[in-house]
Amino acid sequence: MRQVRLAKDAMDRDWADPELDLGAVAAHAGYSRYHFIRAFKEAYGETPGQYLTHRRIDRAEDLLRTANLSVTEICHLVGFSSVGTFSARFKAWTGLTPSEYRTKHVGRGAALIPGCYAMLWAGGFRSAPGASTGSGSGTGATSGKQRNSGEAG
């Protein structure tokens, strides 16, 4: 049971990682994939995949209510790689599409958080592959230009 709890903790920590998969979580627990599914379901009443999906959808509900982000941005922030899969799973869990959910729940409470702040907080701004970090040697002006070349304009 301890190994299953540790694997669940890993899922709770890394739920937004789209690369998080059953094989990695089962290996973390030291079980085969199939034994881990049985042990997890016995302990928590749902499969690891169902648990991870519900965790991601719960977070998506929060973002739909509070952040000024598109459904696509939220989909990727919570760890889904396909908007279609995200929308279908969201509707199956809540009974509403993400857009319907937002329409129903926005306006109840505080104003929406600007999308740029929500993306920054959630780690949604990532460097492009092979992008320079600006930490090389050179004059201050040149280093500043390299470092700031990726900013919005």
Side-chain angles (χ1 to χ4, degrees), residues 62-69 102 105-107 109-115:
D62 289 340
L63 289 170
L64 286 165
R65 283 191 308 266
T66 61
N68 188 18
L69 295 168
R102 171 175 276 158
H105 290 92
V106 167
L112 292 177
I113 299 167

Side-chain angles (χ1 to χ4, degrees), residues 11-36:
M11 290 170 66
D12 287 339
R13 181 183 59 245
D14 299 329
W15 58 267
D17 182 0
E19 300 299 318
L20 185 65
D21 67 350
L22 180 61
V25 177
H28 190 77
Y31 290 145
S32 72
R33 294 172 51 137
Y34 303 106
H35 183 66
F36 178 68

Side-chain angles (χ1 to χ4, degrees), residues 111-125:
L112 292 177
I113 299 167
C116 57
Y117 288 113
M119 290 288 284
L120 183 63
W121 174 81
F125 294 119

Side-chain angles (χ1 to χ4, degrees), residues 13-80:
R13 181 183 59 245
D14 299 329
W15 58 267
D17 182 0
E19 300 299 318
L20 185 65
D21 67 350
L22 180 61
V25 177
H28 190 77
Y31 290 145
S32 72
R33 294 172 51 137
Y34 303 106
H35 183 66
F36 178 68
I37 291 170
R38 286 190 301 273
F40 192 95
K41 187 167 184 174
E42 184 178 314
Y44 297 107
E46 59 186 347
T47 67
Q50 291 167 335
Y51 176 79
L52 187 57
T53 296
H54 297 158
R55 182 98 162 92
R56 289 173 171 171
I57 289 173
D58 286 343
R59 184 64 184 127
E61 287 176 312
D62 289 340
L63 289 170
L64 286 165
R65 283 191 308 266
T66 61
N68 188 18
L69 295 168
S70 71
V71 170
T72 301
E73 290 169 326
I74 291 171
C75 163
H76 294 293
L77 280 175
V78 300
F80 284 92

Side-chain angles (χ1 to χ4, degrees), residues 4-5 9 16 30 60-61 69 72 90-92 102 105 108 124 131-132 136 142 144-145 152-153:
V4 174
R5 189 172 39 248
D9 290 345
E61 287 176 312
L69 295 168
T72 301
F90 190 94
K91 185 168 184 170
R102 171 175 276 158
H105 290 92
R108 298 180 180 188
S132 172
T142 304
K145 285 181 182 177

